[in-house]
Amino acid sequence: MREPVELRRRRILAVVESRGAVKVSALAAELDVSVVTVRRDVEELALAGRLRRGHGVARPVRDPAVTQAVPAPRAGDPSAEGGAVALVVPERHSYLYETLHGARTVLEDAGIRIALHIAPQSAGAERPLVERALADGARGLLIAPRWRNALSEELDYGWLADVGVPTVLMERRPRPGSALHALDSVCSDHWYGIHLAVEHLVSLGHRRLVLAARDDSPTARTVRAAFASVAAARPEVEDWTVVLSSPDAVPGPGPGEQGYESGGVPRSQGAPLDLAALLRERGATAAVLHGDVDALMLVQRLAESGVQVPRDCSVVAYDDVVAALGSTPLTAVAPPKADIGRAAAELLLHRLSGAPGAAGPVRRTELLPELKIRGSAQEITPTSD
């Protein structure tokens, strides 16, 4: 027989009052009901003032007049000391906002206060934000610098290596041998993501491929290099090329630079990419497009040129932020964005805990992307001679 609602809610209150903050998922497992049910119960109890609701967690309401104090934090508990963890991410960056939310979940569940700092789209914007956070008493740092070009990245190496608090880079992998090589980092294995895309297209019979990609972030630069490496190593691939996915897909000038170019790519290309013409010129039957917004716009322009996806050209997007929302949902490589944030926050909490091994070797963690198969890539139909 189904448990009465009020009885179930009394059980929730009893667990929360006896243990303090409890994850909603843990309550659901213990009460043998769905997470949705417990979340609804917690919301109703919070509205009634019988408990407090956090992000994925229920907390007790403690009467200040009660003399029994909250138990002191245990040694080694990262919430035992004051001070927030600073989270620094670029503005208008939906990809890294998903990473931010993953980190936020872990920190809030641990009872850690978060100080979020959004870096504007200007060179060197992260440094003053970090300095302000440290002045305000931040005890740890999670950061995803914009790093639109190689010079802006290198200019951050010195000060970021010397912030003086435990720091974890999110979705960033510094240049080998640099001052940040020995800094904790958690990022996606983008080589593997490109491998998944090329493997999928090759398995469908495609032999001539195009990568239309950005060139204005560490991820973009890694995607471009990975595609060249993977495509060149596949004997089935007869022809491949890399082009810019849009005129603004290149880095702006770095500090003190004039007309910066990256990898021989001019800072401004002017006219949008004519992908249909490029496909005809190269005899290509499939394209990998980075990132999602550029991918959806390129697919729209293909349709305007009479090229239908996937009938005339198979497409795999890279990022999977909005790839599924196109009129033709795009097959996409999906880096584990939220999981990157969660893993980075867990690593930072480990560093802050003071537990045995917390000051151990630097960790450079890579998580593997997935391929989300939708409707934009299909098996190629062989042509008869």
Side-chain angles (χ1 to χ4, degrees):
M1 188 174 75
R2 180 178 297 178
E3 182 180 49
V5 173
E6 188 53 37
L7 177 58
R8 184 178 66 244
R9 291 179 179 176
R10 284 203 298 270
R11 291 176 63 197
I12 290 173
L13 287 170
V15 172
V16 171
E17 287 298 331
S18 64
R19 301 181 197 169
V22 183
K23 290 183 179 180
V24 169
S25 57
L27 285 169
E30 186 164 335
L31 274 60
D32 196 24
V33 295
S34 72
V35 171
V36 172
T37 296
V38 174
R39 188 179 294 120
R40 184 168 56 245
D41 288 341
V42 168
E43 288 175 355
E44 292 295 328
L45 289 167
L47 286 173
R50 301 172 72 183
L51 54 70
R52 293 183 296 128
R53 181 168 61 93
H55 187 77
V57 66
R59 306 179 189 279
V61 175
R62 300 189 183 275
D63 185 349
V66 176
T67 56
Q68 182 179 2
V70 178
R74 298 187 300 273
D77 184 343
S79 64
E81 298 179 5
V85 162
L87 259 168
V88 181
V89 295
E91 70 169 329
R92 285 183 256 173
H93 203 305
S94 56
Y95 180 108
L96 288 174
Y97 284 178
E98 291 193 38
T99 301
L100 180 159
H101 289 305
R104 172 187 170 188
T105 300
V106 170
L107 295 172
E108 287 186 342
D109 285 353
I112 301 293
R113 188 167 64 85
I114 300 165
L116 177 61
H117 299 269
I118 307 297
Q121 298 187 51
S122 57
E126 288 84 6
R127 183 173 185 174
L129 296 178
V130 171
E131 290 175 345
R132 187 179 312 151
L134 295 174
D136 290 341
R139 53 176 163 153
L141 173 64
L142 293 174
I143 184 169
R146 187 178 297 277
W147 285 350
R148 286 177 61 87
N149 57 50
L151 180 58
S152 66
E153 176 178 336
E154 291 173 3
L155 288 175
D156 280 347
Y157 283 173
W159 69 265
L160 192 50
D162 195 33
V163 295
V165 298
T167 299
V168 181
L169 286 171
M170 301 186 298
E171 204 61 288
R172 297 291 182 258
R173 183 57 49 88
R175 175 173 50 79
S178 70
L180 295 187
H181 191 114
L183 192 69
D184 287 326
S185 62
V186 180
C187 64
S188 301
D189 184 344
H190 295 300
W191 183 95
Y192 184 75
I194 287 295
H195 163 76
L196 290 177
V198 173
E199 178 74 21
H200 181 59
L201 293 171
V202 167
S203 73
L204 295 174
H206 298 280
R207 300 293 181 260
R208 305 178 74 85
L209 311 177
V210 168
L211 171 69
R214 303 192 67 82
D215 191 37
D216 57 357
S217 73
T219 296
R221 294 188 285 275
T222 302
V223 164
R224 292 162 62 88
F227 183 84
S229 169
V230 172
R234 290 299 300 252
E236 303 95 331
V237 177
E238 299 170 2
D239 183 79
W240 59 270
T241 189
V242 176
V243 294
L244 285 174
S245 54
S246 77
D248 64 349
V250 291
E257 296 178 286
Q258 297 294 324
Y260 177 83
E261 296 188 0
S262 172
V265 179
R267 190 169 151 261
S268 175
Q269 293 291 303
L273 170 66
D274 188 344
L275 184 57
L278 179 64
L279 294 171
R280 288 193 296 269
E281 175 189 335
R282 308 292 300 205
T285 59
V288 181
L289 307 179
H290 171 253
D292 281 5
V293 173
D294 290 345
L296 292 172
M297 293 179 68
L298 287 170
V299 169
Q300 288 173 194
R301 289 204 289 271
L302 284 177
E304 293 165 1
S305 300
V307 179
Q308 296 299 315
V309 174
R311 185 194 67 191
D312 305 314
C313 175
S314 288
V315 167
V316 176
Y318 200 101
D319 275 359
D320 200 37
V321 176
V322 293
L325 303 181
S327 54
T328 298
L330 301 183
T331 292
V333 175
K337 299 172 280 291
D339 289 309
I340 293 292
R342 281 190 282 269
E346 288 166 357
L347 175 52
L348 184 63
L349 291 181
H350 175 66
R351 296 298 190 205
L352 293 170
S353 69
V362 170
R363 299 187 183 182
R364 293 164 62 85
T365 303
E366 284 190 330
L367 304 184
L368 300 186
E370 297 179 285
L371 183 68
K372 302 293 183 67
I373 296 177
R374 300 187 180 105
S376 63
Q378 69 179 25
E379 188 170 3
I380 192 170
T381 303
T383 56
S384 56
D385 295 333

